[in-house]
Amino acid sequence: METLLLDANTWLLVLTGAGVSAESGVPTFRGMNGLWEDQPVTEVASPRGFAKDPLRVWRFYSQRRAGAADVSPNPGHDALVAWERHLGDRFLLATQNVDGLHRRAGSQRVVEMHGNLFTSRCSNPDCTRPPFPDTTVYASGTVPGCKECGALLRPHIVWFGEQLDPDDLTRIESFAVKAMRSGGRLVFLAAGTSGAVYPAAGMVDNVRAAGGETWLVNLDASENASSFEHFVQGKSGEVLPKLGRLV
Ligand code: APR
């Protein structure tokens, strides 16, 4: 297998998707037994779906919260922690995953681009209450209300049709700009993602346009696999621990 040199000249930007959590027992979205197989995205992961049937949305997210509460990080998560400890501020992890497993594994330089399952927020845009940690698995038939304004609470997740947090995008972009300005070697590695959802799926093109090196670690060829210079096919929990050569 090819190895990825992680030396003093390397700046590494990693993007992970549901495939990195699959070996921890967290379901992916697409492909066999994917979450979107039996749950229409528009009904359970969109503002319109929430407005139409908040009970159904909370039932879906409560099930995912319960499922993600009793799983553990796998060797793929652990490898990324080791890379971060080796590279320091020349490492940044952007994850599409909302299961919190990267932080539980010990990753600190993490941007949770699509939010977090264990955070809720008020659905009233005028409410002053900020998003807050919430591990409650609400019983079916319950839609929690905001203590401050009484509006419905919602999961702090970026739904389809919603914008990502601009601060998150700025942090990712600034990292890449800093890497290029340093004269170092910018490497972008995507792991466990189908490349189906933007802007995450477009990161590879941005890095290539900036002259960076691009790697894909995935169980099968993702939609944007041809955009990557290196493609290491396999399970991230098996590939990542062997891929990085820390010098
Ligand atoms: N190791 C590596 N890759 C894997 C593994 C594994 N053990 N298991 C599955 N995969 C790959 C699959 O082949 C697939 O390409 O992971 C990818 C998972 O794709 P998706 O289920 O589409 O998940 P993801 O890419 O994270 O979805 C992106 O879409 O629905 C939205 O917001 C949601 O964040 C999610 C976004």
Side-chain angles (χ1 to χ4, degrees):
M1 178 174 79
E2 287 182 273
T3 53
L4 171 60
L5 179 69
L6 301 176
D7 62 4
N9 189 40
T10 300
W11 292 66
L12 178 60
L13 174 60
V14 176
L15 170 70
T16 59
V20 165
S21 294
E23 289 156 84
S24 296
V26 179
T28 59
F29 294 97
R30 297 168 183 84
M32 209 151 61
N33 305 322
L35 281 171
W36 300 147
E37 292 291 297
D38 59 0
Q39 286 282 6
V41 174
T42 50
E43 299 303 311
V44 294
S46 75
R48 197 164 49 82
F50 183 72
K52 184 175 136 198
D53 189 348
L55 272 179
R56 176 173 187 177
V57 172
W58 267 112
R59 197 164 41 247
F60 175 66
Y61 281 96
S62 284
Q63 281 164 0
R64 290 183 64 196
R65 198 176 265 182
D70 61 8
V71 296
S72 308
N74 65 60
H77 296 103
D78 299 337
L80 296 175
V81 174
W83 296 3
E84 173 180 336
R85 287 179 180 157
H86 181 67
L87 294 173
D89 59 9
R90 285 183 286 108
F91 176 94
L92 185 63
L93 170 56
T95 185
Q96 300 171 96
N97 298 341
V98 297
D99 54 36
L101 282 176
H102 284 302
R103 287 193 196 285
R104 281 176 47 202
S107 290
Q108 294 180 348
R109 294 175 57 81
V110 187
V111 179
E112 292 181 317
M113 304 167 77
H114 291 174
N116 182 288
L117 264 181
F118 301 102
T119 307
S120 296
R121 73 169 193 255
C122 181
S123 62
N124 169 10
D126 301 325
C127 181
T128 54
R129 189 181 188 191
F132 59 96
D134 182 4
T135 55
T136 308
V137 177
Y138 294 100
S140 191
T142 310
V143 178
C146 174
K147 289 198 184 76
E148 269 185 38
C149 75
L152 302 184
L153 292 183
R154 58 164 281 181
H156 187 50
I157 299 273
V158 179
W159 281 333
F160 286 90
E162 294 187 318
Q163 298 300 313
L164 274 65
D165 182 335
D167 293 343
D168 288 347
L169 297 175
T170 303
R171 186 170 174 204
I172 295 165
E173 200 178 310
S174 313
F175 177 83
V177 166
K178 206 171 162 193
M180 298 316 285
R181 286 201 179 133
S182 76
R185 163 182 171 246
L186 172 61
V187 177
F188 172 67
L189 180 140
T193 182
S194 59
V197 173
Y198 287 78
M203 287 168 71
V204 57
D205 300 323
N206 299 338
V207 169
R208 287 197 68 164
E213 198 177 308
T214 52
W215 291 69
L216 174 66
V217 173
N218 214 56
L219 197 57
D220 51 36
S222 61
E223 292 184 24
N224 60 353
S226 58
S227 304
F228 290 84
E229 293 152 279
H230 305 267
F231 173 32
V232 185
Q233 188 158 8
K235 290 185 172 183
S236 48
E238 294 168 8
V239 169
L240 294 179
K242 294 183 205 132
L243 183 68
R245 192 155 67 82
L246 281 57
V247 292

